[in-house]
Amino acid sequence: MFGLIGKKLSHSFSKKYFTEKFQKLNLSPKEGYMYELFELDKIEEFENLIRENPILKGLNVTIPYKKSIIPFLDKLDPVAQRIEAVNTIKIEKDGTKIGYNTDYIGFKSSLEKFLYQKSKTGFKETALILGTGGAAQAVKIALEDLNIKFDFVSSSINQIQDNFTYQTLPYSEIDITNYKLIINTTPLGMYPNIDDFPPLSEENYSKIDANYFLYDLVYNPEETAFLTKGKNKGAKIINGLEMLHGQAEAAADIWGI
């Protein structure tokens, strides 16, 4: 049995994805191949969940528990340790709970493909990461491992966190001519608020041209207002769907499916 833990899971991608995957592989519910949604009002309920469901072999973790789940685990994969966030748990036969971060895997593989397909000579520019939340940390580590320089920007200069060593500026003070890869890690523009977009200045948006790469981790809608602004100026764009599929497949590999 597998599942997803989070606070609000009504719009979960994971249950449909894994249920269909089990069907394609002819893995039946009778054999225990089920994927369930477990809404937890608080992370402390995790221990009861594990106790009440001894057949659980793996879990995905979503907002707001990617960080707060860590004290409840026995081990962390080295990448999850660096990111300080977990979105996949493997439960061994002896009950050992190991935390992984497959957001990193999904993002890194999709970004490499995106940049290589659109820029055969490789990417030597600096990236700008919009947002400083949990997803931004996975993006940060992936960029480090790809040797891509980056800066962060958030809505408030007060959002600097101890585990980062970077300069954080208000959106309005950024000059995007210094950044040819712009990655939105915030939920701005996500359904149903599809008219929202990161508050870079209109002057900045006007500077975007065919030399820019825009990556939005949001995948619903397929093309966010942020991506539309870039596409209209000739930029190369990608949404978060490939990353989502990549992180799900990486979780399946960890679980041995």
Side-chain angles (χ1 to χ4, degrees):
M1 184 184 189
F2 304 87
L4 172 69
I5 62 171
K7 199 154 194 173
K8 301 289 182 185
L9 304 177
S10 56
H11 299 294
S12 164
F13 150 90
S14 300
K15 180 163 185 173
K16 183 173 185 289
Y17 188 88
F18 281 105
T19 300
E20 289 177 357
K21 184 176 180 68
F22 295 157
Q23 288 169 350
K24 286 175 190 169
L25 295 173
N26 293 317
L27 300 172
S28 75
K30 288 180 182 176
E31 296 170 312
Y33 285 93
M34 299 170 284
Y35 193 98
E36 302 295 342
L37 302 180
F38 301 104
E39 291 192 346
L40 306 181
D41 286 332
K42 51 186 181 179
I43 193 58
E44 288 76 15
E45 294 173 13
F46 175 73
E47 291 180 318
N48 284 338
L49 173 69
I50 296 296
R51 204 164 27 245
E52 291 166 6
N53 296 276
I55 61 170
L56 270 171
K57 299 299 176 194
L59 288 164
N60 292 124
V61 184
T62 191
I63 296 168
Y65 300 133
K66 291 185 181 185
K67 282 179 169 290
S68 57
I69 188 64
I70 291 175
F72 296 89
L73 305 178
D74 302 299
K75 294 180 186 175
L76 285 186
D77 171 78
V79 171
Q81 210 157 18
R82 286 170 66 200
I83 296 170
E84 298 182 349
V86 163
N87 77 322
T88 299
I89 301 167
K90 181 180 183 182
I91 303 170
E92 303 280 16
K93 287 182 180 177
D94 64 0
T96 301
K97 298 177 288 297
I98 308 170
Y100 297 83
N101 191 300
T102 64
D103 284 338
Y104 161 90
I105 299 168
F107 174 75
K108 183 170 176 280
S109 61
S110 65
L111 180 67
E112 282 182 292
K113 193 169 153 188
F114 174 54
L115 293 179
Y116 178 74
Q117 284 177 341
K118 305 294 184 183
S119 174
K120 302 293 185 189
T121 57
F123 188 82
K124 299 179 177 65
E125 305 286 349
T126 303
L128 181 66
I129 304 173
L130 309 181
T132 55
Q137 295 184 67
V139 168
K140 167 187 181 280
I141 298 299
L143 291 179
E144 284 179 355
D145 291 350
L146 292 171
N147 295 313
I148 295 175
K149 292 180 291 186
F150 58 87
D151 284 319
F152 283 82
V153 58
S154 74
S155 57
S156 167
I157 201 159
N158 297 322
Q159 288 185 15
I160 294 177
Q161 298 172 26
D162 293 336
N163 59 325
F164 288 134
T165 53
Y166 60 83
Q167 178 187 29
T168 303
L169 296 169
Y171 282 81
S172 58
E173 292 182 22
I174 287 292
D175 179 1
I176 66 163
T177 56
N178 298 318
Y179 308 98
K180 294 300 185 285
L181 169 61
I182 306 173
I183 304 162
N184 177 38
T185 72
T186 78
L188 289 167
M190 184 185 291
Y191 181 85
N193 303 310
I194 60 172
D195 295 326
D196 292 348
F197 52 86
L200 294 165
S201 66
E202 282 307 314
E203 181 187 356
N204 269 324
Y205 278 115
S206 72
K207 293 175 183 174
I208 293 173
D209 59 26
N211 296 310
Y212 283 76
F213 296 78
L214 269 57
Y215 193 128
D216 199 331
L217 268 57
V218 173
Y219 59 90
N220 182 18
E222 191 173 316
E223 188 177 298
T224 59
F226 170 67
L227 293 182
T228 298
K229 280 176 171 286
K231 187 176 81 170
N232 290 344
K233 303 288 288 183
K236 301 150 191 80
I237 64 170
I238 184 174
N239 67 18
L241 193 60
E242 192 173 325
M243 172 186 172
L244 192 69
H245 288 174
Q247 65 84 18
E249 285 303 310
D253 288 343
I254 288 166
W255 298 332
I257 298 171

